[in-house]
Amino acid sequence: MVTTPLSSQPAPTLSPLNVPQRLLLGPGPSNVNPVVLAAMNTPPLGHLDPDFLGIMDEIQTLLRYVWQTQNRLTYAISGTGTAAMEATLANAIEPGDRVVVCVKGYFGHRLVDMAQRYGAQVHAIHQTWGQPFSKESIQNAIETHRPAVLAIVHAETSTGVRQPLEGLSDLCQAHGTLLLVDTVTSMGGVPIKLDEWGIDLAYSCSQKGLACPPGASPFTLSDRAYAKLQKRSGKVPNWYLDATLLEKYWGSERVYHHTAPINMYYALREALRLLAEEGIENAWERHQQNAEYLWSQLEAIGLQMHVAKEYRLPTLTTVRIPEGIDGKAIARRLLLDYNIEVGGGLGELGGKVWRIGLMGYNSRPENVDRLLQAFKEVL
Ligand code: PLP
């Protein structure tokens, strides 16, 4: 008789999961709307079940509404915002393509690194962390490099800057350049109109303005971007993110590609439905009003914002840490004593700012009041 030897590795014994209730006012994730959490608690369907395919169709319709686009290729990437970022670059870039990346914060650097990995000749242009690019500096870069793709972050989460995008598409189209925009910290909270602004490729995430957990990330390609994809000489070098394969699952063919994270898609569908119910313009207005309330309350206790009001994001505010204050210690006290998460500075702004998010379900005056009360006690 063959006996299986006992494993020398003992089974871990843990108590059931017990997670503290935090108010997530950092750069994301933000708190999830309870309706969305309830939707996740629905039994999974098969990923080719006609009812599930109907939910995928609804996600596409809702994404088009929230982004204000008619793009046929508009769907969710199964992964976080970084996967959707990678999907845009993998599909848009052919080895040797010139790509201009506008770097004015941490996520611009990530775009540079990724574009290089897909074989692009990358020309990065730089702006001070805390300021947007002028249209003239972008025009200059396009005219100098005549890139296949211009990549820019709309809402730079590391600095709190809103980059104006109006007018860029005319520059891009005049030079045969595709306009690729990161809308991770803007979608659902900051006005963005993909078609009106001529944006060719965009991606986002679920865990910020959409009030959903992280894991299913919006992605879209315009007809111009799709035409470039169809003309490419080689295959998209990333199988999982190849839009020509993904379109067969999301489009009418319904061919198996990967097992969709079913319950994440339920959550995304509900999060988008709630945004549509509120009305996207109303959601933008709510974010602006609550951000202005936050700014006035922070100023009232003597704190300074890092970004000029004109370019400040309503979703993410960078607040300068006053001289002589240990910013990390304050954030730690807020977390452990008050159950409130705020973010620290990233990259060049490390140790210089706190990052306060008011996104999606969290963009409410009572959250501002709770944070300000805690700030007053710890500062
Ligand atoms: N782009 C921006 C502007 C972001 O803020 C983030 C994350 O915060 C990402 C991309 C990457 O998204 P994720 O962390 O969901 O992968």
Side-chain angles (χ1 to χ4, degrees):
M1 195 177 103
V2 182
T3 50
T4 314
L6 274 181
S7 163
S8 56
Q9 195 169 329
T13 46
L14 297 175
S15 47
L17 184 69
N18 181 14
V19 178
Q21 299 264 324
R22 308 263 205 238
L23 177 58
L24 301 178
L25 299 185
S30 48
N31 291 87
V32 175
N33 189 315
V35 175
V36 173
L37 270 185
M40 290 190 86
N41 199 16
T42 308
L45 288 167
H47 59 279
L48 291 171
D49 185 303
D51 279 11
F52 184 67
L53 297 176
I55 291 170
M56 290 171 70
D57 288 343
E58 289 168 348
I59 290 175
Q60 297 186 71
T61 304
L62 289 160
L63 284 175
R64 289 189 193 105
Y65 165 69
V66 171
W67 251 338
Q68 299 283 290
T69 181
Q70 301 291 325
N71 287 346
R72 184 178 60 85
L73 285 195
T74 303
Y75 45 77
I77 297 289
S78 302
T80 67
T82 307
M85 175 191 258
E86 186 132 10
T88 55
L89 295 171
N91 285 285
I93 294 172
E94 281 203 84
D97 275 354
R98 287 189 298 276
V99 172
V100 167
V101 181
C102 304
V103 180
K104 54 178 171 19
Y106 180 90
F107 291 99
H109 282 294
R110 185 173 293 188
L111 282 166
V112 169
D113 186 1
M114 265 188 202
Q116 284 169 339
R117 289 168 190 240
Y118 284 103
Q121 287 178 48
V122 177
H123 301 277
I125 58 170
H126 294 270
Q127 173 57 295
T128 310
W129 287 39
Q131 286 174 28
F133 281 93
S134 67
K135 197 172 155 192
E136 292 68 38
S137 60
I138 295 173
Q139 177 166 9
N140 192 24
I142 293 178
E143 286 170 357
T144 308
H145 302 294
R146 301 186 173 262
V149 178
L150 177 106
I152 192 160
V153 177
H154 182 213
E156 188 37 92
T157 326
S158 60
T159 65
V161 167
R162 181 186 57 80
Q163 171 67 49
L165 298 171
E166 295 90 333
L168 292 192
S169 72
D170 290 347
L171 294 175
C172 286
Q173 289 183 17
H175 294 87
T177 301
L178 295 176
L179 178 57
L180 185 162
V181 178
D182 176 321
T183 73
V184 166
T185 298
S186 52
M187 191 178 201
V190 185
I192 179 134
K193 300 179 176 179
L194 293 192
D195 287 0
E196 199 178 312
W197 297 354
I199 294 167
D200 294 299
L201 298 115
Y203 59 89
S204 192
C205 74
S206 48
Q207 72 269 18
K208 301 192 193 211
L210 305 187
C212 187
S217 301
F219 163 85
T220 191
L221 288 184
S222 70
D223 289 347
R224 269 168 29 98
Y226 188 63
K228 181 175 189 305
L229 176 61
Q230 293 221 297
K231 275 195 282 188
R232 61 185 297 145
S233 50
K235 286 183 177 177
V236 173
N238 185 320
W239 191 91
Y240 191 61
L241 301 173
D242 181 342
T244 62
L245 301 179
L246 282 165
E247 91 171 290
K248 295 192 178 132
Y249 180 34
W250 283 88
S252 53
E253 289 181 55
R254 300 304 192 177
V255 176
Y256 163 69
H257 177 265
H258 66 283
T259 307
I262 310 290
N263 295 51
M264 265 316 300
Y265 283 17
Y266 294 163
L268 183 63
R269 189 264 191 204
E270 279 304 90
L272 292 165
R273 179 187 66 79
L274 290 170
L275 254 183
E277 190 176 87
E278 179 179 10
I280 190 64
E281 286 90 356
N282 295 333
W284 295 336
E285 182 56 31
R286 170 170 58 85
H287 280 79
Q288 187 64 31
Q289 277 180 10
N290 291 322
E292 289 190 14
Y293 179 50
L294 171 72
W295 303 334
S296 67
Q297 294 299 299
L298 289 169
E299 277 161 3
I301 59 167
L303 293 170
Q304 272 187 346
M305 308 313 118
H306 181 64
V307 176
K309 195 164 179 199
E310 194 186 350
Y311 299 115
R312 229 177 261 165
L313 282 174
T315 41
L316 192 284
T317 300
T318 41
V319 184
R320 292 200 180 132
I321 298 170
E323 216 38 52
I325 298 262
D326 180 347
K328 258 194 188 160
I330 297 288
R332 207 171 155 71
R333 276 201 65 194
L334 290 175
L335 187 73
L336 299 182
D337 297 349
Y338 295 86
N339 275 316
I340 302 175
E341 179 180 86
V342 300
L346 202 55
E348 284 182 24
L349 293 180
K352 297 183 182 153
V353 295
W354 290 297
R355 291 184 299 150
I356 301 177
L358 277 184
M359 305 190 233
Y361 183 66
N362 280 351
S363 172
R364 281 178 286 147
E366 57 269 33
N367 289 337
V368 175
D369 292 338
R370 187 171 150 195
L371 174 67
L372 260 293
Q373 187 54 41
F375 252 135
K376 282 179 193 159
E377 287 171 23
V378 294
L379 276 179

